[in-house]
Amino acid sequence: MFQGRQLLIVSKHQKESVLKPLFEKMLQVTVIATANFDTDRFGTFSGEIEREGDALTTLRKKCSEAMAEYNADLAVASEGSFGPHPSIPFLTADDELLILIDKRNELEITAREISTETNFNGKEIKTIDELIDFANHVGFPSHGIILKSHANHKEAPIKDCKNIDELIFAAKKYIRNEGMCFAETDMRAMNNPTRMKVIEKAGKKLVKKLQSNCPSCGTPGYDVIKVNPGLPCGQCGFPTRSTLSQIFGCLKCDNIQTKFYPNSKEIEDPMYCDYCNP
């Protein structure tokens, strides 16, 4: 379905550096990067432009407009969100969503990677020593830093400082005029190697999904659509919250299959039982 076709990687921030080798090797497509396509107009991490709608809506817009501009019918885009982990709120997470849209075959396939491996951070800075400590903590200069006069200031933040001298020079202007500045991690992929690794993991998930075909009609993207808890406790036999089965479904036809014991175990350790270990 994909072999020999052209695939757009819709990104202004060099995501093709990790996605291009993956998709060209596994799907045998020719990747075209869209470095001149302005994805910042759909929202920026530094706040100058607010993202409208959720990540999935934004991804659909990115792909649709890029495909129209490049006269393409196959595209991949990603969107990252940063904040509390969805199931472990006291941890910070990078939530990466990837989408492939195939207009020719009317397919939309997504993959998601949630990782606690992120340097996402921000701090009010009043002295150069505080700035240096923050820079060391977040991995500067391999990981970029953005400077603003205040946390919610949205106009013309300072980006792309290449070394500590440039960063200090920029911060001094704010501190001199405002008495402080706000430093935050640059979450653009090309300035954040930690995030780029998470995007790569999401890309691998998407490729694996694209290589999973429906046993009935052969459509790619045959994947889990529902997870059922209820794996019995090995001590009391009562159902636990652990996964008993997964339901796989097709994006095109009505083929559905249930697979029991997907984690290769038929009973759960009593430590995960709400009855034995309340």
Side-chain angles (χ1 to χ4, degrees):
M1 185 173 287
F2 306 115
Q3 184 176 359
R5 295 172 64 185
Q6 290 187 335
L7 170 68
L8 291 184
I9 302 290
V10 185
S11 175
K12 183 182 179 181
H13 302 140
Q14 302 173 20
K15 296 172 187 175
E16 68 275 5
S17 65
V18 293
L19 296 179
K20 179 179 178 179
L22 183 62
F23 283 95
E24 286 191 335
K25 178 181 178 181
M26 304 306 294
L27 298 184
Q28 298 180 28
V29 295
T30 299
V31 167
I32 298 174
T34 62
N36 296 322
F37 182 76
D38 185 15
T39 55
D40 281 350
R41 58 196 168 93
F42 300 98
T44 59
F45 289 116
S46 45
E48 307 99 300
I49 301 173
E50 295 290 339
R51 185 172 75 185
E52 296 181 3
D54 58 20
L56 183 58
T57 300
T58 302
L59 285 175
R60 287 171 175 154
K61 287 181 180 178
K62 281 185 183 180
C63 286
S64 177
E65 295 190 21
M67 285 191 287
E69 184 171 318
Y70 283 79
N71 191 29
D73 61 10
L74 186 65
V76 165
S78 81
E79 188 75 7
S81 304
F82 299 87
H85 192 285
S87 57
I88 317 171
F90 58 87
L91 291 179
T92 302
D94 173 3
D95 188 347
E96 296 289 343
L97 183 65
L98 259 68
I99 191 171
L100 177 137
I101 294 181
D102 181 354
K103 289 173 63 178
R104 183 188 299 180
N105 295 293
E106 298 182 340
L107 280 177
E108 178 183 291
I109 302 174
T110 61
R112 186 183 186 192
E113 176 71 15
I114 301 175
S115 175
T116 56
E117 295 295 319
T118 178
N119 72 333
F120 179 68
N121 207 338
K123 185 179 181 181
E124 187 177 289
I125 301 294
K126 294 183 179 179
T127 69
I128 298 304
D129 285 343
E130 289 179 346
L131 177 68
I132 293 172
D133 286 344
F134 179 79
N136 290 334
H137 179 69
V138 301
F140 181 84
S142 65
H143 292 67
I145 289 177
I146 295 173
L147 296 177
K148 306 175 181 179
S149 60
H150 297 86
N152 296 320
H153 189 76
K154 298 180 180 180
E155 295 180 8
I158 297 175
K159 306 178 182 181
D160 301 315
C161 291
K162 302 301 181 186
N163 54 59
I164 194 65
D165 291 334
E166 289 184 13
L167 190 69
I168 290 173
F169 181 79
K172 280 183 175 179
K173 291 183 178 179
Y174 283 131
I175 294 173
R176 184 170 57 248
N177 296 330
E178 306 285 345
M180 59 155 286
C181 72
F182 189 80
E184 65 185 30
T185 45
D186 188 345
M187 303 315 296
R188 293 175 298 169
M190 78 286 194
N191 287 338
N192 200 298
T194 299
R195 182 187 174 211
M196 193 73 89
K197 290 179 182 178
V198 182
I199 293 171
E200 184 177 18
K201 288 181 181 179
K204 289 178 180 178
K205 278 188 175 181
L206 182 57
V207 165
K208 184 178 180 180
K209 204 169 180 179
L210 292 169
Q211 293 176 319
S212 176
N213 298 326
C214 172
S216 179
C217 70
T219 300
Y222 192 71
D223 199 33
V224 177
I225 58 174
K226 185 180 180 182
V227 176
N228 294 320
L231 192 67
C233 171
Q235 181 167 292
C236 69
F238 286 168
T240 68
R241 301 182 191 183
S242 299
T243 300
L244 173 66
S245 65
Q246 295 175 335
I247 298 177
F248 287 72
C250 179
L251 296 170
K252 285 285 187 180
C253 71
D254 57 0
N255 182 279
I256 291 178
Q257 292 184 350
T258 300
K259 295 185 179 181
F260 286 89
Y261 314 119
N263 296 319
S264 301
K265 57 180 181 179
E266 298 185 11
I267 58 173
E268 186 53 284
D269 190 305
M271 70 178 292
Y272 300 109
C273 175
D274 290 340
Y275 182 78
C276 297
N277 187 28

